[in-house]
Amino acid sequence: MSQTLYYSTNLKANKVDFKGALLKGLAPDGGLYMPESIPVFTGSEMGSFRSMAYYDIAYQVARKYLHEEIEDSELLGLVKDAYNYDVPLENVYDKKYIMHLDQGPTASFKDFAARMMGRLMQYFLKKENNNLLILTATSGDTGSAIANAFYGLDNIRVVVLFPETEVTERQRKQMTTLHKNVQIISIDGKFDDCQALVKTAFNDAELKFLNLSSANSINIGRLIPQSIYYFYAYSRLCDITKEEKILFSVPSGNFGDLMGGLIAYKMGLPVKKFVVATNKNDEVPEYFLTGNYKTIVPSLNCISSAMNVGHPSNMARIVALYGGVMNEKGEVIRSPDMEAMKRDMFTISIDDKETLDTLKMVYNRHGVLLEPHGSVGWAGLRHYFDFVPEDHTAEQVAVCLETAHPAKFPAEIQDILGFDPELPESMVGLEEKEEQFVKLKNNYDIFRQYLKSNY
Ligand SMILES: *Cc1c(COP(=O)(O)O)cnc(C)c1O
């Protein structure tokens, strides 16, 4: 195995090693980092995953990229610590499954990426005796996934800004009851104001000493963790010696989840097709249909709110994977191999009505409880089977990714099904925990002074 280097999708920055890409986040030319070559598994390597625990599969996948940069024993300890929760595969009918990626500390699939990214950062920082301050703004869920994932880590402190009146009580408590190395600040403004404060801080020379990092969704550190559960699902449901191929349906917003799947596929995982399901923000299904990529500004509000994205940040990576170049504005500089993309992916846009109808139907017919994002994925899978009926056999294994826990959407579930979903373990007892957060005015000088005197 040789060392993997990472290039920028804008092709104007130097290649870096994994540590460089992880700690930088965005490449200096504004592009996203991509592995220059993708390591592959042999069939017998993948066959051995059948009897491995989730964290062991995580170790095997991550090791392909990181063996030159992290000692094996350190890497194994790191993934064991990151993945200390279940990944249930629930049968719906025949060999059709829901993979619940909602058993982590914030009941969202974002925990998978954030927990491993945090531990990778901690590893490299400790080694260099360096510190990092993660500064991020949130409208609810991303901030709590980051805060929980980095909670208790050494050499890393976290500051999350949230708009005072724009997050739910539950979302706020998922962040403000942590303490330790996690500081939460409410701003008397909107989400955009919080983002503006963060952005100004990143460009402030006086704050250079803080070594700020954003840990945002485009970081390469999220990509590898998001390919692992695809291997896991295959290992539990398929037999590689029988050359079985698996179908995945991926509810998509910024396309990081899907990108993880495509990486797994390029690493050799026998995938029949990726069903790529979006809500009414259908810029990617339109691109597949027409060959013209047009961003949606402003993005449309749908009930699968974590997927309200009018220009997915990972699109540049997908285009790069298929030989094209797309810049950060969404302009296609060099066309990717559209035929190959269509061979590998089936894209579909699902509206809110169908999302809710599907949620209700899956519960009434199969007794399986989804939430709006997973429901978009399931609706997408049904469209695929209508479109390609020869793949709708009893033997065909299909897995739809469920990206959040239904208890995060109590109002919607109450509305459609008339009951309150049971809380996952991670959310029980939240009400009683002590909250701690700082309130600041929406003013950059005050915010800067706060950072200077506290860090
Ligand atoms: C972030 C998120 C998504 C979308 O994932 P992408 O990687 O951005 O495509 C879907 N569902 C939930 C619940 C999310 O939080």
Side-chain angles (χ1 to χ4, degrees):
M1 291 196 278
S2 58
Q3 175 164 15
T4 308
L5 287 179
Y6 298 82
Y7 70 94
S8 163
T9 52
N10 280 350
L11 308 176
K12 294 193 180 81
N14 292 331
K15 289 172 191 162
V16 293
D17 60 8
F18 182 81
K19 180 182 93 174
L22 177 75
L23 298 179
K24 269 204 183 74
L26 201 65
D29 63 357
L32 309 188
Y33 284 115
M34 274 286 281
E36 185 176 41
S37 60
I38 295 178
V40 289
F41 281 115
T42 62
S44 72
E45 279 178 306
M46 280 184 286
S48 69
F49 292 177
R50 278 178 88 100
S51 57
M52 287 184 190
Y54 188 91
Y55 72 81
D56 233 342
I57 297 174
Y59 168 67
Q60 300 297 336
V61 174
R63 198 170 163 273
K64 286 274 186 200
Y65 296 89
L66 299 173
H67 64 102
E68 294 252 350
E69 297 190 55
I70 304 184
E71 302 80 32
D72 287 352
S73 62
E74 293 275 350
L75 184 60
L76 183 61
L78 187 156
V79 290
K80 220 169 168 171
D81 184 44
Y83 299 124
N84 55 1
Y85 53 88
D86 288 341
V87 188
L89 283 153
E90 184 176 14
N91 183 250
V92 185
Y93 70 92
D94 292 344
K95 291 189 174 176
K96 317 295 177 272
Y97 294 84
I98 299 286
M99 178 158 56
H100 293 278
L101 302 173
D102 60 1
Q103 301 294 300
T106 69
S108 145
F109 96 98
K110 294 208 167 59
D111 291 328
F112 282 82
R115 285 180 68 78
M116 188 155 158
M117 176 167 70
R119 281 153 184 78
L120 288 166
M121 283 180 166
Q122 170 180 254
Y123 170 83
F124 289 116
L125 291 166
K126 262 190 176 167
K127 216 166 169 179
E128 310 185 321
N129 211 359
N130 206 346
N131 290 289
L132 207 64
L133 181 66
I134 304 283
L135 181 60
T136 190
T138 189
S139 56
D141 283 343
T142 306
S144 76
I146 295 288
N148 279 273
F150 287 72
Y151 170 70
L153 297 185
D154 298 325
N155 302 56
I156 304 178
R157 288 177 296 182
V158 180
V159 172
V160 181
L161 272 58
F162 74 90
E164 200 169 5
T165 57
E166 288 182 10
V167 307
T168 67
E169 187 173 330
R170 231 176 233 174
Q171 285 175 326
R172 191 186 70 231
K173 285 191 171 165
Q174 280 189 314
M175 306 186 277
T176 57
T177 54
L178 290 169
H179 325 307
K180 276 199 191 171
N181 61 328
V182 173
Q183 180 64 57
I184 309 298
I185 302 177
S186 88
I187 299 291
D188 70 335
K190 304 183 73 59
F191 172 60
D192 291 344
D193 298 320
C194 298
Q195 263 197 319
L197 291 173
V198 167
K199 212 167 173 184
T200 312
F202 272 105
N203 293 320
D204 188 339
E206 272 188 54
L207 297 180
K208 274 272 173 286
F209 75 98
L210 288 173
N211 205 11
L212 293 173
S213 172
S214 72
N216 58 15
S217 63
I218 49 82
N219 195 296
I220 191 78
R222 287 194 172 190
L223 222 52
I224 297 167
Q226 285 174 174
S227 68
I228 296 163
Y229 37 78
Y230 293 91
F231 286 102
Y232 176 77
Y234 187 94
S235 78
R236 292 312 188 263
L237 304 173
C238 295
D239 187 347
I240 200 145
T241 62
K242 296 193 181 129
E243 298 184 3
E244 274 188 277
K245 286 190 177 179
I246 190 167
L247 258 171
F248 284 108
S249 182
V250 189
S252 294
N254 262 319
F255 287 70
D257 204 356
L258 176 73
M259 191 58 209
L262 291 171
I263 293 272
Y265 173 56
K266 299 280 177 188
M267 290 179 79
L269 191 70
V271 177
K272 180 155 210 135
K273 198 80 140 189
F274 290 97
V275 175
V276 182
T278 70
N279 58 27
K280 282 311 279 179
N281 292 284
D282 63 352
E283 63 283 354
V284 174
E286 279 297 305
Y287 180 44
F288 275 67
L289 199 67
T290 64
N292 289 321
Y293 182 73
K294 277 207 284 301
T295 62
I296 297 180
V297 191
S299 59
L300 306 171
N301 279 329
C302 301
I303 51 167
S304 48
S305 54
M307 309 196 312
N308 293 339
V309 181
H311 172 36
S313 46
N314 277 291
M315 220 28 222
R317 282 200 173 111
I318 292 174
V319 167
L321 199 63
Y322 288 88
V325 179
M326 177 186 275
N327 69 15
E328 59 273 31
K329 288 188 221 129
E331 294 158 349
V332 179
I333 310 293
R334 187 172 77 210
S335 201
D337 183 347
M338 291 296 285
E339 286 314 308
M341 284 167 73
K342 286 181 200 173
R343 258 197 315 275
D344 296 345
M345 293 174 259
F346 170 84
T347 61
I348 181 95
S349 157
I350 307 292
D351 65 19
D352 277 358
K353 179 173 184 309
E354 190 176 356
T355 305
L356 295 174
D357 288 349
T358 302
L359 205 157
K360 188 169 180 176
M361 184 281 289
V362 173
Y363 186 76
N364 288 337
R365 190 179 295 175
H366 305 291
V368 173
L369 182 59
L370 297 173
E371 53 71 57
H373 304 83
S375 183
V376 167
W378 189 262
L381 185 62
R382 285 172 52 92
H383 279 278
Y384 176 72
F385 285 143
D386 285 345
F387 199 72
V388 190
E390 62 270 29
D391 280 354
H392 197 190
T393 59
E395 295 75 43
Q396 177 62 54
V397 176
V399 174
C400 173
L401 276 54
E402 172 56 291
T403 49
H405 195 282
K408 297 188 98 171
F409 302 86
E412 287 82 356
I413 306 284
Q414 179 62 250
D415 234 32
I416 314 164
L417 299 174
F419 64 85
D420 252 342
E422 209 175 308
L423 289 179
E425 209 179 310
S426 62
M427 289 166 78
V428 174
L430 206 53
E431 310 299 321
E432 289 79 51
K433 285 190 188 158
E434 190 207 341
E435 281 195 85
Q436 220 176 66
F437 63 99
V438 177
K439 290 186 180 191
L440 291 184
K441 289 252 166 289
N442 176 22
N443 173 301
Y444 183 69
D445 290 329
I446 295 175
F447 177 54
R448 170 209 259 165
Q449 196 47 51
Y450 175 86
L451 288 177
K452 276 177 142 181
S453 39
N454 287 279
Y455 291 93

